[in-house]
Amino acid sequence: MSSESENPNLSAEDEGKAQSKKAAKKEAAKLEKQRRRQEAAAAAAASASVGEISIGDAPDPLASNYGDVALIDLQSKAITGLKWTDIGALNEDLKDQKVLIRGRAQTVRAVGKNIAFLVVRQMGFTVQCVLTVAPDLVSRQMVKYATSVSRESHIDIEGIVSVPGIPIKGATQQVEVQVRKIYGISKAENLPINIEDAARSESEIEKALQAGEQLVRVNQDTRLNYRVIDLRTPANQGIFRVQCQVENRSCIFRQFLLSEGFVGIHTPKLIAGSSEGGSAVFKLEYKGQPACLAQSPQLHKQIAICGDFGRVFEIGPVFRAEDSFTHRHLCEFIGLDVEMEIKEHYFEVMDIVDHLFVTMFDSLNENCKKELEAIGRQYPFEPLKYLQKTLRLTFQEGVQMLKEAGVEVDPYGDLNTEAERKLGQLVLEKYGTEFYILHRYPLAVRPFYTMPSYDDPLYSNSFDVFIRGEEIISGAQRVHVPDFLEKRAAACGIEVKTISSYIDSFRVFFLFLPMKRTPVASNTLLDQLWKTPMEAHYGNISSQRELAIGTMKQDVVYRLCCAATKEDFYILYLFRYGAPPHGGFGVGLERVVMLFCALNNIRKTSLFPRDPTRLVP
């Protein structure tokens, strides 16, 4: 019904007044919108400087509760005894308690002038912090300061823990912190990549594309170029915490081996010759001598076994100069290496592998649930299938399984990547496991120090271990007979003189004794040695004279060597000791984590990967 019918007696003058009121209301609404836009622009300008934050000319009585901390106060000025709470420890048990936290401002959101929300992150854990204007607690200036904080800046927040009545979707912790104080510790500049983009899964991106929306995809090279930001994603925080557990956690690698009587050692990474053979070695000059970076600690961990340590392990860097542009190869990685005496059979080494990795998998599944969930959100994967008693197959059995599936492979050659994956698929279908051991490999595809099989010299006492169809471990019984070792090295194209100290370690024990220069009868063999001083040092004897002393057993060699420097002379006494039968294995830490979590690239599990093209950061 029209207004005319409602007011039949309305005069023309009254009608004109009503119309003018409507126009005035429209104009007032227009001016209000304009004022709000100006206020928003002013707020944005104010965010550039904390000093500009003010409302009117009145000072803020709560000004000491917020602001950027002066540099002088961050220079270890004083020990205050303040108690800090980790964000990951915030839970319902702390309700109504005051806490002090430090973290990064992951997101900042204002709701009008009186309310602001910040999600603060610390080591993968996040909590929602709320500022609400209230007398004597939070001022508008304080809210404005909070909304001016740039994303990824470090901030300190003091507040009261509260428990909301509904679940919090945007944070890991299901509590809120009612902010009472907020201070800026370190300001972050504009980010080259956003954490939200770097943390996004492929399934999210594909789902958005199907809905007609295009989300940012951060590629692998960009992630590595800005690794300092990429590492902050929940998935990466989970990956490297899982990696830490593999290496160090009780009952995993280090602790397991210590419990089995192993001794941790540290071996040199600068060596005189190739430790694995082949050309994949980084060569360099070492004080005028040719040297290289160790491809493995193989030679030195065997020397440790000959030094009566019995069982040893090492966790350290390994260098391979391979031009392998694949998803699973790196030029530098962390090696987990093991060596041990063998009493009867190389299966003793495989037993350690079996127990170690089953224990490792059990422990990861039990103790890293949150980390694995964080990884799975960005990189979805199915839990690894493995048996409590690890499956063992001979190389010949593996070849036969492939042959029956229509895949032809050389019975005396190595398996290529496709064959390994196919065999992994066949093993899963037949035995229900993605973790198994393949042993008794052809000798031709193993390192020079691998012991041949007793019943067929074309095969060896060696093994590889596989996860999800990819090799992660290579191991074997080692050759401990020196003459045979020399022949094996020469057959593999390795110059024997570059590994002479390694081979000698299976023959003799080195002991350097300082001696004074004293007169020696000119007709003695020792005098002849003094007249022909030899250059000698531990690990490499470039020239030497051997003295046959009496009739010895075939496996015993006594040597007397003399070395001369400008000032001192040393007699090198070499005493007999035997090399026990022994074996071991090596595994790449990054590859274990990659395959356990079913990741598609080893660069995801290397903190700062080194491949044929990447040397930074």
Side-chain angles (χ1 to χ4, degrees):
M1 186 177 293
S2 68
S3 59
E4 289 182 7
S5 60
E6 291 177 355
N7 302 285
N9 298 322
L10 189 64
S11 66
E13 182 179 353
D14 292 334
E15 185 175 352
K17 288 181 179 180
Q19 290 177 351
S20 63
K21 285 182 180 180
K22 289 181 180 179
K25 286 181 179 180
K26 288 183 179 180
E27 183 64 22
K30 182 179 179 180
L31 291 174
E32 177 63 15
K33 288 182 179 179
Q34 184 178 352
R35 184 183 66 80
R36 289 179 179 176
R37 285 197 296 268
Q38 289 173 346
E39 282 186 353
S47 67
S49 173
V50 173
E52 297 177 12
I53 295 178
S54 63
I55 295 180
D57 296 326
D60 184 7
L62 301 176
S64 62
N65 290 348
Y66 61 92
D68 290 346
V69 177
L71 176 60
I72 191 172
D73 293 322
L74 299 172
Q75 293 179 277
S76 301
K77 183 178 179 181
I79 299 176
T80 64
L82 292 172
K83 182 180 179 181
W84 302 81
T85 301
D86 289 336
I87 290 178
L90 296 175
N91 56 40
E92 293 84 351
D93 295 338
L94 297 176
K95 182 181 179 181
D96 298 329
Q97 294 186 32
K98 184 171 71 174
V99 295
L100 176 62
I101 62 174
R102 174 172 292 179
R104 292 186 181 274
Q106 179 167 295
T107 61
V108 180
R109 180 169 61 93
V111 180
K113 302 177 184 178
N114 299 329
I115 301 176
F117 294 91
L118 292 86
V119 173
V120 181
R121 187 185 72 251
Q122 179 194 40
M123 296 186 294
F125 297 99
T126 54
V127 65
Q128 183 164 270
C129 301
V130 186
L131 292 92
T132 305
V133 171
D136 302 325
L137 295 176
V138 176
S139 63
R140 280 191 175 183
Q141 292 96 321
M142 186 172 174
V143 171
K144 186 176 287 189
Y145 171 77
T147 58
S148 75
V149 173
S150 59
R151 295 167 65 183
E152 293 302 297
S153 292
H154 267 103
I155 57 176
D156 284 352
I157 284 181
E158 182 180 299
I160 307 299
V161 175
S162 64
V163 180
I166 58 175
I168 301 174
K169 296 182 179 180
T172 62
Q173 308 310 110
Q174 293 304 299
V175 296
E176 290 182 334
V177 176
Q178 303 299 322
V179 179
R180 298 295 179 259
K181 296 180 181 180
I182 177 171
Y183 301 105
I185 302 301
S186 176
K187 183 179 180 180
E189 299 180 358
N190 290 335
L191 303 175
I193 59 174
N194 289 323
I195 302 297
E196 292 84 352
D197 295 334
R200 191 172 289 123
S201 68
E202 282 296 314
S203 60
E204 289 180 87
I205 296 174
E206 293 301 323
K207 186 177 180 179
L209 284 175
Q210 293 174 5
E213 182 184 0
Q214 187 166 1
L215 298 178
V216 175
R217 176 188 275 112
V218 183
N219 64 39
Q220 188 69 54
D221 281 339
T222 301
R223 290 177 183 276
L224 296 179
N225 290 339
Y226 300 105
R227 192 61 159 164
V228 65
I229 300 174
D230 182 52
L231 288 175
R232 301 173 190 174
T233 65
N236 278 329
Q237 289 288 310
I239 287 171
F240 293 105
R241 279 171 168 74
V242 168
Q243 187 179 96
C244 178
Q245 301 307 306
V246 170
E247 178 184 349
N248 288 309
R249 190 175 179 85
S250 176
C251 293
I252 306 187
F253 203 77
R254 187 186 300 275
Q255 292 301 322
F256 176 89
L257 293 175
L258 289 174
S259 72
E260 291 289 327
F262 285 79
V263 177
I265 62 172
H266 300 283
T267 64
K269 305 310 167 192
L270 288 171
I271 61 176
S274 169
S275 53
E276 293 286 342
S279 60
V281 57
F282 288 105
K283 298 180 180 180
L284 53 91
E285 183 179 304
Y286 182 74
K287 302 294 184 181
Q289 305 175 64
C292 62
L293 296 178
Q295 295 166 293
S296 81
Q298 184 58 50
L299 311 186
H300 294 90
K301 65 179 182 177
Q302 286 184 257
I303 292 175
I305 294 300
C306 294
D308 285 350
F309 281 93
R311 293 181 161 196
V312 299
F313 73 92
E314 180 176 23
I315 301 173
V318 174
F319 303 90
R320 302 284 173 88
E322 296 175 306
D323 290 329
S324 298
F325 298 88
T326 73
H327 74 285
R328 65 176 186 170
H329 286 95
L330 292 172
C331 292
E332 178 184 358
F333 59 90
I334 300 300
L336 310 177
D337 280 270
V338 171
E339 202 74 19
M340 57 183 279
E341 289 186 13
I342 292 174
K343 296 296 190 292
E344 293 182 328
H345 203 287
Y346 74 99
F347 278 15
E348 296 164 31
V349 183
M350 291 164 58
D351 290 340
I352 291 292
V353 173
D354 180 358
H355 300 152
L356 168 61
F357 277 84
V358 169
T359 301
M360 181 187 299
F361 299 152
D362 287 345
S363 183
L364 289 175
N365 287 327
E366 179 63 27
N367 298 303
C368 297
K369 292 178 180 178
K370 287 186 176 180
E371 290 82 359
L372 294 173
E373 287 173 2
I375 297 168
R377 282 194 295 271
Q378 183 168 359
Y379 307 112
F381 69 97
E382 292 293 326
L384 179 70
K385 295 180 177 66
Y386 60 97
L387 305 175
Q388 288 300 308
K389 178 61 178 178
T390 302
L391 174 69
R392 301 180 185 186
L393 299 172
T394 66
F395 186 85
Q396 292 95 323
E397 288 173 331
V399 169
Q400 184 61 32
M401 288 179 66
L402 288 169
K403 184 177 181 180
E404 292 173 357
V407 180
E408 292 293 335
V409 296
D410 183 354
Y412 298 107
D414 206 352
L415 299 180
N416 59 30
T417 301
E418 291 74 18
E420 288 179 349
R421 288 178 178 169
K422 181 62 177 179
L423 183 57
Q425 177 186 338
L426 297 173
V427 168
L428 176 60
E429 293 171 355
K430 184 173 182 179
Y431 298 101
T433 181
E434 295 175 290
F435 177 72
Y436 70 97
I437 300 174
L438 193 67
H439 66 100
R440 195 178 158 93
Y441 266 71
L443 184 64
V445 300
R446 308 305 283 196
F448 75 94
Y449 46 76
T450 304
M451 181 69 78
S453 296
Y454 77 96
D455 58 343
D456 189 341
L458 294 179
Y459 287 95
S460 63
N461 296 346
S462 63
F463 60 90
D464 279 356
V465 183
F466 295 85
I467 295 181
R468 301 186 195 270
E470 294 195 36
E471 177 257 319
I472 61 159
I473 294 176
S474 183
Q477 180 182 356
R478 322 301 187 185
V479 175
H480 62 282
V481 180
D483 292 339
F484 187 40
L485 194 60
E486 288 182 350
K487 293 178 181 178
R488 288 287 303 134
C492 292
I494 297 174
E495 292 188 37
V496 176
K497 66 179 182 180
T498 66
I499 57 170
S500 59
S501 63
Y502 166 64
I503 295 176
D504 285 343
S505 69
F506 300 118
R507 291 193 176 107
V508 293
F509 174 75
F510 297 164
L511 177 64
F512 290 85
L513 295 178
M515 296 186 66
K516 295 180 179 179
R517 179 178 296 197
T518 55
V520 180
S522 61
N523 61 344
T524 65
L525 286 173
L526 185 58
D527 183 47
Q528 294 178 27
L529 290 174
W530 284 95
K531 292 177 180 178
T532 311
M534 293 167 292
E535 179 185 354
H537 58 84
Y538 183 78
N540 182 34
I541 302 175
S542 58
S543 62
Q544 60 186 18
R545 298 288 182 104
E546 294 190 4
L547 301 177
I549 304 178
T551 302
M552 302 296 173
K553 293 181 180 180
Q554 187 175 0
D555 63 338
V556 180
V557 177
Y558 281 88
R559 297 181 185 180
L560 185 59
C561 299
C562 178
T565 65
K566 291 182 179 180
E567 299 177 353
D568 303 300
F569 285 88
Y570 295 86
I571 294 294
L572 175 59
Y573 287 95
L574 307 175
F575 296 95
R576 170 193 175 191
Y577 72 95
H582 59 282
F585 61 89
V587 54
L589 175 61
E590 294 86 349
R591 193 175 289 188
V592 171
V593 178
M594 177 187 77
L595 293 173
F596 182 79
C597 298
L599 298 170
N600 63 1
N601 197 306
I602 198 169
R603 291 157 185 80
K604 286 184 169 69
T605 58
S606 176
L607 197 64
F608 304 108
R610 293 291 178 262
D611 59 29
T613 61
R614 180 168 291 277
L615 200 55
V616 293

